[in-house]
Amino acid sequence: DGGITQSPKYLFRKEGQNVTLSCEQNLNHDAMYWYRQDPGQGLRLIYYSQIVNDFQKGDIAEGYSVSREKKESFPLTVTSAQKNPTAFYLCASTRTSGDVQETQYFGPGTRLLVL
Amino acid sequence: GQNIDQPTEMTATEGAIVQINCTYQTSGFNGLFWYQQHAGEAPTFLSYNVLDGLEEKGRFSSFLSRSKGYSYLLLKELQMKDSASYLCAASFTGGGNKLTFGTGTQLKVEL
């Protein structure tokens, strides 16, 4: 089945620790996105990538890093510089068609908790 | 900024009709998406409007007025399973295939 997978479903981080959230898609989508969702708030864009080996900062990139070495994969690292990492993290992907916005499809999410 | 505004919460009765409104800034506007999100789950795509008018898809319809910067999602024959958060998201020209999301409207369907 085609789709987007995220792992793990729950992740616990200790103080000062970097953790990496996985996102994989087999939809042959060019663009991938990472969002953060806090209770009562909408989705906020952390990073996005429209093509392999290229990515851009979103609205809240501080304390996060990404890589896009393969089309299928877009891992997100939450670094120790992110002081309030507890949130629900969602990965999404879409085709790209020039200036036409295609539908973004979401993975099941990873809930990150700080110990 | 490109603010997207929608009500925080709404309550409706099973079997009824509910309309969830969304307003956005018209400058550079491209298109408008609606997603449904159940608690703890991923958002799922409901509709996409780029032209003015009403798009009907089963019990759900979505309306867009580009000149007024206004959209609504209409849910008919409400069912308990429709209790969820409904997210409005807009794309803007030059936005690089990005979406700007509203905070979501939490809909509670009661008996």
Side-chain angles (χ1 to χ4, degrees):
Chain A
D1 287 349
I4 304 173
T5 57
Q6 291 185 241
S7 62
K9 186 168 184 173
Y10 295 96
L11 186 58
F12 297 91
R13 194 191 91 164
K14 296 180 181 178
E15 291 287 339
Q17 186 182 41
N18 292 356
V19 291
T20 297
L21 284 62
S22 168
C23 178
E24 304 276 333
Q25 54 95 4
N26 61 3
L27 300 167
N28 200 33
H29 285 170
D30 293 303
M32 298 185 74
Y33 308 80
W34 273 106
Y35 293 93
R36 169 180 172 141
Q37 188 175 36
D38 294 278
Q41 296 195 33
L43 276 65
R44 292 185 290 168
L45 184 65
I46 304 172
Y47 269 99
Y48 66 106
S49 167
Q50 299 192 71
I51 195 169
V52 175
N53 292 323
D54 188 43
F55 49 83
Q56 287 79 40
K57 292 182 178 180
D59 301 317
I60 55 165
E62 186 174 350
Y64 300 96
S65 66
V66 293
S67 63
R68 187 85 186 277
E69 297 176 2
K70 297 187 300 182
K71 187 176 185 177
E72 302 78 18
S73 179
F74 191 41
L76 173 75
T77 296
V78 184
T79 74
S80 57
Q82 173 50 244
K83 298 306 180 189
N84 185 22
T86 297
F88 189 44
Y89 290 86
L90 287 159
C91 178
S93 71
T94 185
R95 299 183 304 178
T96 54
S97 302
D99 286 336
V100 176
Q101 178 64 52
E102 298 281 347
T103 301
Q104 290 187 15
Y105 295 94
F106 288 84
T110 293
R111 191 165 297 279
L112 177 61
L113 300 165
V114 178
L115 296 176
Chain B
Q2 296 163 335
N3 290 338
I4 311 294
D5 293 315
Q6 53 182 131
T8 304
E9 295 178 337
M10 298 184 72
T11 302
T13 305
E14 188 179 35
I17 299 173
V18 71
Q19 178 176 311
I20 303 174
N21 296 326
C22 172
T23 59
Y24 59 87
Q25 293 182 266
T26 58
S27 176
F29 172 77
N30 197 345
L32 197 289
F33 291 84
W34 284 98
Y35 286 85
Q36 180 191 61
Q37 186 181 25
H38 285 99
E41 298 182 9
T44 56
F45 169 75
L46 290 177
S47 67
Y48 175 53
N49 293 69
V50 65
L51 300 176
D52 285 352
L54 188 68
E55 297 269 350
E56 297 187 72
K57 195 183 293 185
R59 294 189 299 114
F60 292 8
S61 302
S62 57
F63 172 84
L64 180 69
S65 170
R66 297 181 66 95
S67 61
K68 295 183 179 178
Y70 169 67
S71 173
Y72 67 73
L73 181 68
L74 193 70
L75 290 74
K76 303 177 185 177
E77 301 169 14
L78 280 172
Q79 302 175 11
M80 298 298 288
K81 68 178 182 179
D82 297 330
S83 293
S85 182
Y86 291 85
L87 309 177
C88 172
S91 63
F92 294 89
T93 304
N97 286 299
K98 294 187 296 181
L99 292 179
T100 301
F101 283 83
T103 56
T105 297
Q106 186 65 46
L107 174 65
K108 183 178 180 182
V109 180
E110 299 179 327
L111 291 172

